[in-house]
């Protein structure tokens, strides 16, 4: 079994990747602008919802319940979906999912597939697998299309092309769609994409989607979107395949009431997503006449086993934690080396790989706590980051210099006397580096500090020494 | 009242002036201060970097040293957040249930410096004079970890001669993040550069906060840029008088 999250296994460390991103002024400007706009919209939409905290509590309670009884609900979903005329495939990992999907498309002699709203297919590396099998994937979500045409990578889980601005997109469309003329307004760009995609919607007989929610009681899937391209993909092709992570299950149709209120507001600051498609199996004479669901594990059951990490799977991929994250705001999504960027990516990606890869991600956070505050399902991301950091350290993944420094500090913190001795030692050790009370250059790992900031020298007298001297004086 | 000071390891070592200021303010308000020499660290750095086992030992040591304290004053919001958020969880994971009871008994007696002044001692006016333009960086742990909220501002507003200027996007993280500042130095510096720009835009002479850790980071960049803006812990402003200015 090979668990995979895109190409994250081969990704450079976060610090290395981030460095490249920080040098890209255009990208940083685009990311700041876009996240500022979405954040303001979200804040407004949340602010007008009187029962926001209760909605968050309800959503979390539903997710916790499902995750404790996931086996039962998955089987209920399978039974209901089959009864409605759907076919259900179980995939333990990325390769099993990709093989199942390729086989379905091949069985219809398909050489093209139209795709919409499936981040999970990025996780499994489906597009390269399709291309290897001679099938051309066509992304139809506007942002995904921009990514595909630019041979680029998504940088945000809701707004994949957030790092691109209008001018860049216009140039890309003119080149790839071979348009000698194209206006500069958003409507002009949308119009060009519409003309490009319409023809493909009508031509390609197989569609592929993800799902925001899978409803156990009715075997239905739900996809929410803003453009209507998803609706086309879900209704026009003869055959529809949906790739769904097993954590997407909710028990009943009624539960959507909670999640649809939270998702639109958290993701884009809309009271409701403009297009909400919900379907169950097949309906004779209406929509796709063949429907497959591929239920994907790919490391999720591993996340499920520990109570500390389990809440990771409650995520509804709204992207609010990315938009609010100070680190994401600086680097954008590519630094995270996976389709899942930002705070949720920092906890999800390494876990999906059984903590074997992407071990730098849990450290890619200042622990400021903003993500937890906005998360519509109340995932305490900082807490999970800390749990994962502990795992990395316990498995020997921390650098030697850090381990030694931590050991030195731990010994010093055993009692007051030891701390005082350690303070004296540091005072001696700093001597060669202090110039007029300030340190501007330090060796080794500490150079990472002095590269950007001065450090005031450790003063000659610690507080505890001052206090002891004061007490002595009083006694006399 | 009798206040027991937990100075925190980094204030003890790097910012003794903050400790002295806390003592000065509390004594001026008529309270007695006590400082147990056996104290060391709350365990935050180890816990946050992934060394939870070491942090557990530090928690046990803290509980032992401060067991009999009536009021524990901590001039660091992030250390208070560490105790409130993680001590109960660490204790719950230990086989000895007595540790959990100790933590439960200890936490209500732990006050961040501003909380102590505003909530417990009801002394918003500390009798301070500080005739300078000051801006306030609201640290993440004062906003979220401890919910200290407006208290630092209330205290600043009562200082004679002080003119307060609001920091734009004051609630944005400064990028310190403990060992994050070393492990992800470039991103940390990028966040810092936004923060420094915001501070310089206010034209303030002094930037204050309730965490010296963030101030060490911000102050380090201001110093590197020779910006001529001082970073001072809030306690040092509150201790300042015309006779003994900070
Ligand atoms: S972790 Fe929470 S805030 Fe982040 S994407 Fe998932 S649901 Fe949204």
């Amino acid at each position: 079994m090979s668990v995979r999250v895109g190409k994250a296994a081969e990704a450079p460390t976060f610090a290395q990747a981030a460095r490249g991103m920080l040098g890209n002024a255009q990208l940083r400007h685009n990311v700041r602008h876009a996240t500022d706009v979405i954040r303001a919209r979200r804040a407004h939409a949340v602010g007008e919802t009187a029962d926001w905290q209760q909605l968050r509590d309800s959503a979390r309670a539903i997710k916790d319940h499902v995750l404790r009884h996931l086996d039962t609900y998955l089987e209920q979903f399978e039974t209901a979906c089959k009864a409605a005329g759907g076919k259900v495939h179980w995939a333990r990992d990325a390769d099993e999912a990709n093989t199942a999907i390729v086989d379905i498309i091949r069985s219809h002699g398909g050489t093209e597939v139209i795709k919409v709203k499936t981040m999970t297919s990025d996780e499994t590396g489906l597009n390269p697998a399709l291309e290897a099998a001679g099938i051309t994937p066509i992304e139809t979500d506007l942002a995904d299309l921009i990514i595909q045409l630019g041979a680029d990578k998504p940088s945000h889980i809701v707004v994949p092309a957030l790092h691109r601005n209008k001018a860049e997109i216009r140039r890309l469309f003119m080149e790839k769609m071979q348009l000698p003329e194209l206006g500069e307004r958003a409507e002009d760009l949308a119009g060009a994409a519409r003309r490009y995609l319409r023809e493909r919607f009508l031509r390609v007989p197989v569609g592929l989607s993800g799902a925001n929610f899978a409803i156990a009681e009715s075997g239905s899937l739900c996809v929410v979107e803003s453009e209507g391209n998803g609706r086309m993909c879900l209704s026009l092709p003869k055959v529809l395949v949906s790739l769904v992570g097993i954590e997407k299950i909710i028990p009943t149709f009624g539960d959507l009431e909670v999640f649809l209120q939270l998702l639109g507001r958290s993701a884009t600051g809309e009271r409701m997503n403009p297009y909400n498609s919900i379907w169950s199996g097949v309906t004779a004479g209406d929509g796709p006449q063949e429907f497959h669901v591929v239920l994907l594990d790919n490391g999720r059951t591993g996340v499920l086993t520990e109570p500390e990490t389990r809440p990771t799977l409650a995520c509804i991929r709204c992207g609010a934690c990315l938009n609010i994250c100070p680190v994401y705001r600086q680097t954008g999504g590519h630094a995270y080396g996976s389709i899942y960027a930002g705070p949720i990516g920092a906890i999800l990606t390494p876990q999906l790989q059984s903590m074997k890869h992407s071990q730098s991600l849990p450290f890619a956070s200042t622990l400021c706590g903003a993500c937890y505050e906005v998360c519509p399902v109340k995932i305490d991301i900082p807490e999970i980051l800390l749990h994962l950091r502990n795992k990395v350290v316990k498995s020997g993944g921390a650098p030697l210099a850090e381990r030694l420094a931590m050991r030195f500090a731990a010994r010093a913190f055993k009692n007051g006397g030891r701390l005082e001795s350690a303070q004296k030692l540091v005072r001696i050790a700093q001597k060669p580096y202090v110039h007029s009370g300030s340190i501007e250059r330090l060796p080794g790992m500490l150079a990472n500090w002095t590269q950007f900031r001065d450090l005031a020298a450790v003063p000659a007298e610690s507080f505890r020494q001052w206090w002891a001297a004061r007490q002595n004086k009083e006694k006399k | 009242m009798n206040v027991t000071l937990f100075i925190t390891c980094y204030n003890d070592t790097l910012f003794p002036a903050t400790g002295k200021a806390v003592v000065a303010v509390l004594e001026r308000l008529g309270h007695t201060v006590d400082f147990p020499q056996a104290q060391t660290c709350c365990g935050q750095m180890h816990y946050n970097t992934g060394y939870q086992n070491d942090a557990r030992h530090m928690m046990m040591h803290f509980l032992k040293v401060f067991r009999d304290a009536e009021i524990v004053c901590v001039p660091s919001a992030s250390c208070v957040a560490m105790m409130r958020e993680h001590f109960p969880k660490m204790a719950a994971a230990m086989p000895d249930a007595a540790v959990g009871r100790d933590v439960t008994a200890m936490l209500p007696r732990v006050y961040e410096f501003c909380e102590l002044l505003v909530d417990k001692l009801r002394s918003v006016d500390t009798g301070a004079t500080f005739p300078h333009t000051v801006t306030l960086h609201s640290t993440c742990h004062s906003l979220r970890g401890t919910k200290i909220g407006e208290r630092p501002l209330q205290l600043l507003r009562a200082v004679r001669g002080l003119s307060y200027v609001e920091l734009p996007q004051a609630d944005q993280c400064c990028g310190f993040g403990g060992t994050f500042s070393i492990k992800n130095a470039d991103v940390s510096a990028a966040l810092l550069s936004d923060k420094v720009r915001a501070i310089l835009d206010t034209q303030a002479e002094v930037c204050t906060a309730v965490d010296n850790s963030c101030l060490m980071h911000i102050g380090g960049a201001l110093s590197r840029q020779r910006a001529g803006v001082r970073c001072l812990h809030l306690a040092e402003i509150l201790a300042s008088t015309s006779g003994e200015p900070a």
Side-chain angles (χ1 to χ4, degrees), chain A residues 157 315-319 321 344 375-377 379 381:
Chain A
I157 64 179
C315 173
I316 56 171
R317 308 277 190 269
C318 72
C321 60
I344 182 62
C375 177
V377 279
I379 303 175
I381 295 178

Side-chain angles (χ1 to χ4, degrees), chain A residues 56-65 311 314 377-380:
Chain A
R56 289 175 81 206
D57 287 331
S58 306
R60 182 53 187 277
I62 295 167
K63 282 286 186 178
D64 280 346
H65 171 79
V377 279
K378 285 185 120 167
I379 303 175
D380 190 345

Side-chain angles (χ1 to χ4, degrees), chain A residues 14 39 330 363 366 368 383 389-390 402 406 413 416 423 440 448 450 453-454 459 463-464 470, chain B residues 12-13 27 37 39-40 46 48 50-51 86 89 144 172 182-184 188 194 217 220 223-224 226:
Chain A
F14 181 80
R39 272 161 70 161
Q330 299 295 339
F363 297 90
T366 64
C368 78
E383 198 59 40
R389 287 180 184 191
N390 189 226
E402 177 193 300
M406 288 293 164
F413 294 150
Q423 287 168 338
E440 302 199 355
N448 287 2
T450 49
R453 330 149 180 97
D454 292 344
F463 178 81
R464 64 178 60 241
R470 187 181 188 244
Chain B
D12 181 11
T13 312
E27 290 184 345
Q37 286 279 356
Q39 64 179 275
T40 59
H46 286 83
N48 283 356
Y51 298 75
H86 304 306
K89 283 174 197 156
R144 287 176 281 265
Q172 274 289 307
I182 305 271
K183 282 174 176 277
N184 282 287
S188 175
D194 282 355
H217 172 69
S223 159
R224 175 64 52 90
R226 311 297 190 256

Side-chain angles (χ1 to χ4, degrees), chain B residues 174-194:
Chain B
C174 70
F176 171 64
T179 43
F180 177 84
S181 60
I182 305 271
K183 282 174 176 277
N184 282 287
D186 292 284
V187 184
S188 175
L191 283 156
L192 181 55
S193 105
D194 282 355

Side-chain angles (χ1 to χ4, degrees), chain B residues 7-8 10-11 15 17-19 21-22 73-78 112-114 130 134 136 139 156 206-216 230-240 246:
Chain B
I7 181 73
T8 76
Y10 71 98
N11 280 328
F15 303 99
T18 298
V22 171
C73 169
V74 189
S76 162
S78 68
E112 186 278 331
F113 181 58
C114 299
F130 191 71
V134 176
L136 170 73
T139 67
L156 280 178
V206 174
C207 174
T208 190
V210 294
D211 281 278
N212 267 333
S213 47
C214 306
L215 287 180
M216 175 170 79
R230 267 206 297 173
C231 281
L232 273 184
H233 190 281
L234 185 75
E236 293 175 53
I237 294 179
L238 299 184
S240 167

Side-chain angles (χ1 to χ4, degrees), chain B residues 156-182:
Chain B
L156 280 178
R157 289 210 189 275
V159 175
R160 281 151 205 84
L162 185 147
S163 95
Y164 168 74
V165 274
E166 198 182 314
L167 183 66
Q169 301 196 300
D171 61 345
Q172 274 289 307
C173 178
C174 70
F176 171 64
T179 43
F180 177 84
S181 60
I182 305 271

